[in-house]
Amino acid sequence: MALHTRRLGPDDSQEVLDQSLALGVEAFGPYPAHLPRPPMPEPGSWPDGVSMWATFDDAAGDPRMVARVRTHAYASWWGGAAIATCGYGGVVVAAEHRGAGLLTDLFASSLREAAERGDAMSGLFPTAPGIYRKFGYEVVTAFDTVQVPLADLAGVRPAPSVRVRRGTAADEPTLAATYDLWAREQNGPLTRRGPLFATPPQRGPGFGVTIAEEAAPDGGRRTVGYVVWEREAGYGADKHLLVHDLVALTGDAARALWKVIASFSSVTGSVRLETSDPDAARLVLPSLAWDRVGSHPYMVRVIDVPGALLPRSYAVDGTAVFEVVGDALGLVDGCWQLSVSGGVASVTRVADVDAPRLTVNGLSLLQAGAQSCANLRMLGLLEGPSDFDGLYDAWFGGRQAHVRNYY
């Protein structure tokens, strides 16, 4: 078997792109007709923000694509900062070549390219997390679909301080700004900026947007939340109201939006909400009904230490050192010193010292605020001196890990 890996681009033929599409269908099945198709490469052109790498088998003299990955140029929120993020999608290997380690070259090549263009984090939705742990990725949250009977929402108490109204296309900037206020206080959500979000979402028949507003100090109204919902075809107890986005900046906003959702109880039996737990909007519900009916775990890894740590905010001043070990792709290994003074961080490489040792997976979990130092030590992802554990927890804890976009 003679293999070579290379980057795909606009000079590739339709035959090569057809091979890529066929691999995708083989792995994931035909693309659902009811979903908007993502931007697709074509000979002579390439969508902004999309990169692809592929491995070919040359054994038969006619190179045949046997594996490929697609990356997306995103930014995501970590520690209050928007950090350039390489998002993976469409990771596929032909059935006859699975288990042969083909993804190693593909991830090494594509992640080095991402680091060179300035990406500091990377994320993906795995079908099997174990495949990606060897590359330094670890699960930090999940994109879930939960189901709640609409009858259980009847007891949500009203929020008289909040007024709801129907949103229009002119409200898209308001929705984006409200989402930003929520997202920057979490770890992990995409910024919904950049080339892959350049086109406003297309919402056809059945879609609705409800905006929650309250009185502002200047006498006007300010947006404190919104919900994007879609009516499933038909009506009856077996039908669902689909909620694609529910963002509430206050408890009263959450109550007002849940009341709007509950108003569909005469024509649908339940709501299906796309979210990630623990969702604070759940805390205003009177019932414990919250059944997860779908889940896509989300994994992340750090691909550039200064790029991931410098922009974020830190609650306390201090200096700590750590060593990253075992990066199979050779991107972040080494000893690092992180210093924070007056909220401003500096990150430098230092000579070998007796420092706590983090695996790449441990570093990724720590940066995400998904696990404490104590838990990382239990898992064997953090070893050595514990002098800085309290400082690490103060620096990286305090924000929930969330994701609101599946890619």
Side-chain angles (χ1 to χ4, degrees):
M1 184 168 60
L3 301 174
H4 76 273
T5 297
R6 67 173 178 83
R7 192 182 193 278
L8 301 183
D11 293 336
D12 277 301
S13 66
Q14 186 63 54
E15 179 184 0
V16 169
L17 299 180
D18 287 343
Q19 290 181 25
S20 172
L21 181 61
L23 274 181
V25 172
E26 177 179 319
F28 305 114
Y31 198 82
H34 69 284
L35 294 180
R37 184 174 290 273
M40 300 296 289
E42 296 180 0
S45 67
W46 206 262
D48 290 341
V50 175
S51 177
M52 293 178 70
W53 286 77
T55 297
F56 295 83
D57 184 358
D58 303 325
D62 180 20
R64 192 76 187 167
M65 190 183 301
V66 293
R68 58 103 159 131
V69 298
R70 185 179 69 247
T71 67
H72 304 149
Y74 293 129
S76 52
W77 292 102
W78 301 96
I83 295 176
T85 300
C86 172
Y88 277 85
V91 178
V92 294
V93 179
E96 297 80 5
H97 294 266
R98 292 171 191 160
L102 270 59
L103 290 182
T104 299
D105 280 349
L106 286 170
F107 269 80
S109 299
S110 53
L111 279 178
R112 288 190 185 110
E113 176 187 58
E116 289 170 359
R117 70 174 175 244
D119 292 350
M121 296 292 294
S122 177
L124 55 82
F125 290 94
T127 53
I131 296 173
Y132 303 100
R133 285 197 171 101
K134 64 183 177 181
F135 301 134
Y137 289 86
E138 203 41 87
V139 176
V140 299
T141 185
F143 182 85
D144 295 326
T145 301
V146 299
Q147 182 167 310
V148 180
L150 287 182
D152 285 52
L153 301 181
V156 176
R157 63 184 181 86
S161 65
V162 176
R163 182 181 71 188
V164 294
R165 67 173 177 85
R166 179 62 56 89
T168 68
D171 289 306
E172 291 296 339
T174 299
L175 302 187
T178 306
Y179 171 83
D180 285 347
L181 288 172
W182 171 83
R184 72 172 65 247
E185 300 302 326
Q186 323 301 323
N187 279 333
L190 299 185
T191 62
R192 296 182 177 174
R193 299 289 193 274
L196 296 174
F197 289 96
T199 303
Q202 299 299 310
R203 300 190 177 111
F207 271 89
V209 176
T210 299
I211 294 175
E213 298 177 327
E214 67 178 13
D218 62 4
R221 307 289 297 180
R222 66 179 179 185
T223 298
V224 288
Y226 67 86
V227 59
V228 179
W229 48 266
E230 179 185 5
R231 275 287 285 114
E232 191 177 54
Y235 61 92
D238 61 334
K239 300 302 180 182
H240 312 290
L241 180 73
L242 309 178
V243 172
H244 301 292
D245 218 1
L246 192 160
V247 173
L249 303 182
T250 69
D252 280 349
R255 293 181 184 92
L257 295 172
W258 281 119
K259 290 298 274 186
V260 171
I261 293 169
S263 71
F264 285 89
S265 61
S266 64
V267 288
T268 59
S270 59
V271 56
R272 285 194 168 179
L273 166 69
E274 295 174 346
T275 184
S276 52
D277 267 334
D279 189 336
R282 179 185 181 182
L283 301 180
V284 305
L285 299 182
S287 165
L288 292 177
W290 188 269
D291 297 324
R292 185 180 291 115
V293 295
S295 184
H296 298 280
Y298 188 56
M299 305 183 84
V300 302
R301 73 153 281 169
V302 175
I303 59 177
D304 179 77
V305 172
L309 301 188
L310 279 174
R312 59 179 299 152
S313 62
Y314 296 89
V316 298
D317 290 353
T319 296
V321 293
F322 60 91
E323 182 181 6
V324 185
V325 298
D327 186 358
L329 304 181
L331 293 173
V332 296
D333 279 344
C335 287
W336 302 87
Q337 177 176 287
L338 172 60
S339 297
V340 179
S341 178
V344 178
S346 64
V347 180
T348 55
R349 281 191 181 271
V350 295
D352 291 347
V353 294
D354 184 20
R357 294 175 299 281
L358 282 159
T359 66
V360 189
N361 306 69
L363 174 64
S364 300
L365 286 168
L366 189 65
Q367 154 75 357
Q371 296 292 339
S372 66
C373 286
N375 284 346
L376 295 181
R377 289 185 181 277
M378 291 180 194
L379 294 168
L381 303 178
L382 172 62
E383 298 178 340
S386 59
D387 310 54
F388 304 119
D389 284 14
L391 191 53
Y392 294 145
D393 287 340
W395 277 343
F396 297 105
R399 281 182 167 87
Q400 299 286 343
H402 282 288
V403 64
R404 285 294 193 274
N405 291 91
Y406 181 78
Y407 56 83

